[in-house]
Amino acid sequence: MRLRERLAALYPAPPPADPEVRDALERALVDTLPPEQPSPWRRRFLVGGLAGLAFAGACAVPAEYSMDFGHRLAFSVDDTDFDPRALSEHIRGQFDGIEEMRISASKSITQHDDQPETMQFDIVLDVVGDVDEAALEASLLEHFSALQSMDIDVDALDETVRGTLGGMVSHRALGWEVDRGGVEEAKARILADFAARGLPPPSHIEVSIEERDGPGRHEREVRVEVEADEMPR
Amino acid sequence: MSGRLERFRLARWVRRAQRGDARAFSSLFSALHPVVYGYLAARVRVKADAEDLTADTLHRFTRQLSRYDAARGGVRAWVMTIARNVLIDHVRKARRTDVAPLSDAEHLLADGRFSPDGREEDPRLAEVREALAEYPPTTREMFALRYGDGLSIAEVAVVLDISEAAAKQRFSRTIRALKDKLDNPSKEEVAHAPS
């Protein structure tokens, strides 16, 4: 047994929580939340548009300005046929100033009691380059109907982005049915996918499955993260 | 569960919960409750105490939700920092009433995570535990958080309020020394033999 395995075995698993106590606590905490507010992003979008007009007037006499390195957008899509690769292709086709782009996506399956499963993609999109945040977002909303009802979080990437490599997670990897015993198989399939296309192996592959229970629901999340210099298309 | 995407998702749920989104809060709760309860239940041993302390931790977390600043560390590290403070308060309070579950907070934080069930310990594990016992309490706590509670090194650093670089260095140095000691026990015995 290696030292790290011995260290991990040294600490026994804690006892499980009582589901009734946990659910009661969750309900009590939810009751303390403030009244729901609409997403600030819609407001930010309008403000962004107005600021853009004002800036156009000021551009004639450029002064000091700060340079953002890009933007990170995060959203969830309920459409199981949604292809994250289409986002990348659309952005590259519409915007010239893209230096790097990266998409991370995870698929989660939620099972509520006595209800059919629902599936959801959580997508994080990093776009590095001289691209207007509002224009990018508006273009995505206009082109992808699945996003129109989504709450989209937008953050500036205002620091050096290290390790943001071109490409995206293969949709095939997300489409696989990965069960508890299939994590290693999924990794092997990703590696085989790269090898079959003559690409160097990814620098990082993470496949994990997490199951969570809450009041009246069971969530099973399959997460696939792949980083590589070049992704299969 | 400490991937980049997971950290980002937790931060997203916090932002939505700040706006009163109950669904996002439930997702956040489902992700954090097992970590917090596991941390506390593994140390206080009394189930009712673990439940009370978990509730206290998550109430504090929810009250402070609006103050979350992603730049200061991940959500999981933040909630675990709160859980650790709640545990320390619990021990201090218990000492005042003479019912402290262990002698003091430092001992509880450093060693409270070890096997509680009284079963005979695998000698290979006992050997590691005994070797670790020679290190300062902070180092032992670091190992408990990393290998017992599954925190990343960056999260351990936030919880213990030390730099990530210092945490990495201490882990690396200690693991090297442990390997050396466990691979060459006779060398250690000779080195420590009374003259």
Side-chain angles (χ1 to χ4, degrees), chain A residues 55-112:
Chain A
F55 183 69
C59 263
V61 187
E64 287 185 7
Y65 61 94
S66 63
M67 180 178 172
D68 290 342
F69 283 83
H71 297 96
R72 169 170 290 177
L73 297 84
F75 42 88
S76 302
V77 182
D78 295 326
D79 179 0
T80 55
D81 293 327
F82 189 80
D83 185 347
R85 287 177 303 176
L87 289 173
S88 168
E89 285 160 8
H90 173 75
I91 293 168
R92 286 192 189 282
Q94 295 289 315
F95 296 91
D96 293 332
I98 306 285
E99 294 168 20
E100 292 180 7
M101 189 157 38
R102 167 173 166 162
I103 293 179
S104 303
S106 72
K107 180 176 81 173
S108 58
I109 302 166
T110 305
Q111 171 78 68
H112 291 264

Side-chain angles (χ1 to χ4, degrees), chain B residues 55-130:
Chain B
D56 192 4
T57 300
L58 291 172
H59 271 289
R60 287 193 201 185
F61 170 79
T62 309
R63 280 199 300 273
Q64 296 172 20
L65 211 53
S66 60
R67 300 207 297 266
Y68 173 66
D69 178 4
R72 291 166 63 185
V75 176
R76 211 161 65 130
W78 177 39
V79 77
M80 291 299 279
T81 305
I82 298 173
R84 184 173 182 270
N85 290 335
V86 164
L87 183 61
I88 292 170
D89 289 348
H90 168 73
V91 176
R92 286 179 180 156
K93 207 180 293 176
R95 286 188 78 183
R96 282 203 296 275
T97 54
D98 276 343
V99 290
L102 284 175
S103 60
D104 58 46
E106 189 179 72
H107 175 51
L108 183 64
L109 294 169
D111 302 324
R113 189 65 175 74
F114 286 129
S115 178
D117 54 12
R119 282 182 307 181
E120 192 177 341
E121 194 173 22
D122 182 328
R124 291 172 302 177
L125 303 185
E127 193 180 31
V128 179
R129 187 168 50 75
E130 283 160 16

Side-chain angles (χ1 to χ4, degrees), chain A residues 119-154:
Chain A
M119 201 178 296
Q120 178 176 292
F121 278 124
D122 287 294
I123 296 171
V124 177
L125 170 66
D126 286 347
V127 179
V128 178
D130 183 18
V131 179
D132 179 74
E133 166 192 320
L136 175 65
E137 209 39 54
S139 176
L140 290 179
L141 286 171
E142 185 185 348
H143 195 263
F144 295 95
S145 57
L147 305 185
Q148 285 167 7
S149 59
M150 293 297 118
D151 181 15
I152 301 179
D153 292 323
V154 185

Side-chain angles (χ1 to χ4, degrees), chain B residues 23-45:
Chain B
R23 191 177 162 202
F25 183 83
S26 288
S27 298
L28 191 61
F29 181 91
S30 296
L32 297 181
H33 183 276
V35 190
V36 171
Y37 181 80
Y39 172 82
L40 294 164
R43 286 165 176 82
V44 297
R45 314 281 162 74

